[in-house]
């Protein structure tokens, strides 16, 4: 039996689009912070047949199929014959509300599988395998501030993920403001693919990412909050603008999302160090120093359904066998 855990991450320069779906190669790089509070725990056991349980219940068929395909890929890349496997995976955060993240899931699954198959490989190779399951999962292999460099090689040989700075480098918080309890959205894979094939703004979006990466990387190294705030909100808005211009339009936001954007911007304009970012869903994540969390809670409380606070987290790790 092998158990691994991994944390989710929040992208501050977004990944939105692939240059190769088969190899899951991103069209551009991305930069994120790994979040300690949002954790996936995944256990693998040899079984009589492949089974996948999610939070103790049999997982939906598409989910189970994606997990099995990833186990096949990991086994094939390591050159091992894999047995049937019983996978148990659970998140310590609500999955139904669309807060679930494939990032922590595929990072934990990849590390658990490699370990279960008797291998130990460097983090950069783990990240490469995790990326095949889900692009954002590559970043959750590492803790703290992480950059995925998209590279240009058509086989992805120069696509790499690395840690820019350890979790303690900069003590910020990510306040997750959930704006709805249910409602399934267009998932990220489908959303980015529809954007790439139908949005006239997709090319401009991809072309804008490298400059944002340079800016965000510098802001992180210098712990320059205002500089990071500016580039992160810009990257988020441009990603969503490209998706909104898809055909049919992909609009992830609800009224509360927009209300929170306005409130966070007003709060920053009033001199508070806060900025927002939004992924492929209606929830808003606010980045701020620890002593701003209470004010963020106050400004959001009447329009949200749930609030979670996460600090910079460590990378994926094996917890069993200890
Ligand atoms: C908006 O990593 O879920 O969260 O590679 O198709 O599995 P696939 O996509 P995924 O996309 C994440 C999109 C995002 C931005 C980000 O995390 O960079």
């Amino acid at each position: 039996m092998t158990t691994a855990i991994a944390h989710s991450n929040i992208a501050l320069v977004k990944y939105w689009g692939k240059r190769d779906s088969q190899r899951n190669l991103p069209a551009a790089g991305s930069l994120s912070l790994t979040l300690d509070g949002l954790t996936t725990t995944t256990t693998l056991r040899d079984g009589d047949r492949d089974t996948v349980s999610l939070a103790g219940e049999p997982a939906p068929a598409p989910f189970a199929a994606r997990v099995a395909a990833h186990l096949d890929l990991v086994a094939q890349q390591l050159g091992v014959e894999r047995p049937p496997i019983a996978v148990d995976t659970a998140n310590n955060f609500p999955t139904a509300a669309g807060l679930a993240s494939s990032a922590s899931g595929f990072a934990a699954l990849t590390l658990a599988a490699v370990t279960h198959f008797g291998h130990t490989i460097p983090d950069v190779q783990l990240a490469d395998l995790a990326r095949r399951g889900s692009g954002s999962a590559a970043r959750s292999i590492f803790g703290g501030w992480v950059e995925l460099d998209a590279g240009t090689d058509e086989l992805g040989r120069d696509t790499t993920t690395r840690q820019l700075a350890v979790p303690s480098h900069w003590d910020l918080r990510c306040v997750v403001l959930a704006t709805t309890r249910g409602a399934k959205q267009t998932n990220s894979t489908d959303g980015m693919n529809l954007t790439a094939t139908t949005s006239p703004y997709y090319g401009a979006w991809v072309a804008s990412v490298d400059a944002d990466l340079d800016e965000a990387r510098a802001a992180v190294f210098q712990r320059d909050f205002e500089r990071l705030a500016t580039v992160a909100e810009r990257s988020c808005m441009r990603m969503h603008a490209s998706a909104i211009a898809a055909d049919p339009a992909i609009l992830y936001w609800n009224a509360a999302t927009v209300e929170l954007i306005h409130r966070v911007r007003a709060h920053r304009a009033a001199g508070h160090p806060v900025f927002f970012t939004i992924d492929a869903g209606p929830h808003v994540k606010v980045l701020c120093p620890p002593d701003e969390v209470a004010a963020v809670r106050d400004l959001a409380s009447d329009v949200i359904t749930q609030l979670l606070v996460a600090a910079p987290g460590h990378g994926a790790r094996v917890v069993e066998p200890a």
Side-chain angles (χ1 to χ4, degrees), residues 76-103:
Q76 180 230 318
Q77 294 290 317
L78 296 174
V80 300
E81 192 95 24
R82 82 164 174 92
I85 302 218
V87 179
D88 275 300
T89 189
N91 299 321
N92 77 336
F93 51 97
T95 47
L99 286 176
S101 162
S102 57

Side-chain angles (χ1 to χ4, degrees), residues 123-321:
D123 280 352
V124 59
Q125 281 172 34
L126 274 174
D128 211 50
L129 281 174
R131 193 205 75 237
R132 299 288 297 266
S134 187
S136 54
R139 302 186 311 240
S140 276
I141 293 295
F142 296 92
W145 302 87
V146 182
E147 180 172 355
L148 192 160
D149 182 343
T152 53
D153 179 73
E154 61 177 27
L155 298 176
R157 286 169 295 205
D158 59 353
T159 303
T160 58
T161 310
R162 69 190 168 114
Q163 183 182 60
L164 295 176
V166 296
S168 61
H169 169 73
W170 196 0
D171 193 28
L172 295 184
R173 293 292 177 273
C174 176
V175 186
V176 180
L177 304 172
T179 60
T180 174
R181 289 186 196 282
K184 183 118 181 50
Q185 300 275 334
T186 308
N187 73 42
S188 326
T189 309
D190 293 345
M192 66 177 76
N193 288 341
L194 185 68
T195 303
T197 49
T198 68
S199 173
Y201 302 164
Y202 177 70
W205 151 252
V206 171
S208 76
V209 176
D210 273 350
D212 283 353
L213 282 171
D214 290 344
E215 187 66 14
R217 200 185 306 115
V220 168
F221 286 146
Q222 295 164 5
R223 296 189 203 90
D224 184 334
F225 190 91
E226 192 57 36
R227 198 171 176 189
L228 186 63
T230 303
V231 62
E233 289 190 356
R234 182 170 73 214
S235 177
C236 166
M237 290 306 231
R238 286 180 177 171
M239 172 205 130
H240 283 275
S242 75
I244 290 168
D247 188 12
I250 306 162
L251 180 58
Y252 285 113
W253 305 344
N254 60 30
T257 316
V258 177
E259 179 62 26
L260 288 169
I261 291 173
H262 286 298
R263 290 187 191 179
V264 171
R265 283 162 62 119
H267 199 59
R268 182 144 117 262
H272 296 267
V274 293
F275 68 85
F276 70 84
T277 187
I278 305 159
D279 286 328
H283 311 304
V284 177
K285 287 100 177 183
V286 177
L287 278 289
C288 63
D291 60 6
E292 279 289 333
V293 170
V296 172
R297 187 187 299 266
D298 287 348
L299 78 78
S301 61
D302 63 321
V303 293
I304 61 174
T305 56
Q306 192 181 6
L307 180 147
L308 303 168
V309 183
H314 292 280
R317 54 210 180 269
V318 175
V319 294
E320 177 89 49

Side-chain angles (χ1 to χ4, degrees), residues 1 44-49 83-86 116-117:
M1 165 174 141
L44 307 190
R45 295 180 185 83
D46 289 357
D48 306 331
R49 59 192 176 91
I85 302 218
H116 196 69
F117 299 154

